[in-house]
Amino acid sequence: MAKAGIIDKARSERRNVLTEIEAKELLKQAGISVVDTKLATTREEAITISQQLGFPIVLKIVSSDVVHKSDAGGVKLGLKTAKQVGKAYDDILRAIRQKYPEAKIQGVSVQKMARLGVEVIIGMSKDAQFGPVLMFGLGGVLVEVLKDVSFRIVPLAKRDAREMIREIKGYPLLEGYRGQEPVDVANLEELILKVSSFAEQHPEVEELDLNPIFAYSDGAVAVDARVILGES
Ligand code: ADP
Ligand code: MG
């Protein structure tokens, strides 16, 4: 779907929250690397798409009423067979219907299970004074508990991207700590700059979250994406 199309469609449905699939499509069009993700609206469709993409597979709930998908039992990782995909599809719908009986469900997203990397996050939010601001941090508990993050105002220069990665306390983890694979930091710098350009070119986007991104020694890929539009 065209770029304007994705945002227009959400607006016409009076939604401010893009689905994971819409958010990833929009980011992909901006040259940001995301896991290829498709929508299934039946169990059979989920299985067919899985077979096309190749196992192992991840299924996730697609509903603008469910923000934290895994908390609600809406994420199933590492599915290795058609049978497991079918069961996971049913389990996800059952869990969501039970926890959020009012939720409008668009379907279930089907994506490849990405190879594990170092989890990082890039976010964008709008500050009343400074406008769009980018955040970078390490994913998981490091950001949730330790708030080990850095910020820069959009638009970022190359030097900002460089600095914001290096100033987090967890930076040594990216350099390959205790036998861990060292991360392609230059690629992360480019990714941050792409997100900065995206924010600049989309003033209608109020909030953006790539959480997590898996960073590797040869690139990085976002496995989850959230985009929230401002009031129009
Ligand atoms: P939410 O943040 O809404 O709970 P996510 O889409 O971030 O849901 O999924 C939860 C976790 O599952 C992620 O933090 C990541 O560790 C893992 N995960 C999600 N998608 C994939 C994927 N395609 N490949 C591998 N791991 C994934
Ligand atoms: Mg997430």
Side-chain angles (χ1 to χ4, degrees), residues 56-209:
I57 283 288
V58 175
L59 295 191
K60 299 180 195 173
I61 188 70
V62 180
S63 165
S64 0
D65 298 320
V66 181
V67 179
H68 299 291
K69 300 178 288 295
S70 43
D71 291 353
V75 177
K76 300 283 178 191
L77 302 172
L79 307 168
K80 294 191 190 76
T81 62
K83 196 173 164 195
Q84 287 180 7
V85 168
K87 180 176 185 303
Y89 185 92
D90 294 339
D91 288 348
I92 286 175
L93 289 189
R94 192 177 321 111
I96 299 300
R97 286 191 183 122
Q98 192 169 14
K99 188 151 185 193
Y100 302 101
E102 307 294 321
K104 216 174 138 234
I105 297 172
Q106 274 100 20
V108 168
S109 75
V110 185
Q111 56 201 271
K112 274 194 87 131
M113 177 89 183
R115 175 168 61 92
L116 203 65
V118 178
E119 283 194 23
V120 303
I121 70 174
I122 299 175
M124 188 277 290
S125 58
K126 285 193 179 161
D127 180 89
Q129 207 168 350
F130 300 114
V133 173
L134 281 206
M135 185 198 76
F136 173 79
L138 291 174
V141 290
L142 288 168
V143 66
E144 281 157 25
V145 182
L146 302 177
K147 310 270 181 269
D148 183 18
V149 293
S150 56
F151 294 92
R152 288 292 184 283
I153 298 168
V154 171
L156 277 74
K158 264 189 176 165
R159 182 188 168 145
D160 295 315
R162 228 188 113 72
E163 288 174 353
M164 81 187 294
I165 292 175
R166 284 163 179 80
E167 74 190 32
I168 60 167
K169 294 193 190 71
Y171 177 67
L173 293 173
L174 298 177
E175 289 182 301
Y177 186 70
R178 298 221 170 138
Q180 205 171 23
E181 161 184 21
V183 158
D184 183 351
V185 174
N187 178 271
L188 279 184
E189 290 172 15
E190 273 170 41
L191 186 55
I192 287 173
L193 292 174
K194 280 181 191 165
V195 176
S196 169
S197 309
F198 175 84
E200 229 185 324
Q201 284 158 20
H202 293 86
E204 68 275 33
V205 171
E206 196 62 23
E207 227 182 286
L208 165 72
D209 256 306

Side-chain angles (χ1 to χ4, degrees), residues 36-40 43-59 79-82 85 110-113:
D36 195 15
T37 303
K38 300 208 152 57
L39 181 71
R43 190 180 200 272
E44 289 65 37
E45 203 180 356
I47 292 172
T48 307
I49 296 169
S50 304
Q51 287 163 337
Q52 285 162 357
L53 292 175
F55 299 98
I57 283 288
V58 175
L59 295 191
L79 307 168
K80 294 191 190 76
T81 62
V85 168
V110 185
Q111 56 201 271
K112 274 194 87 131
M113 177 89 183

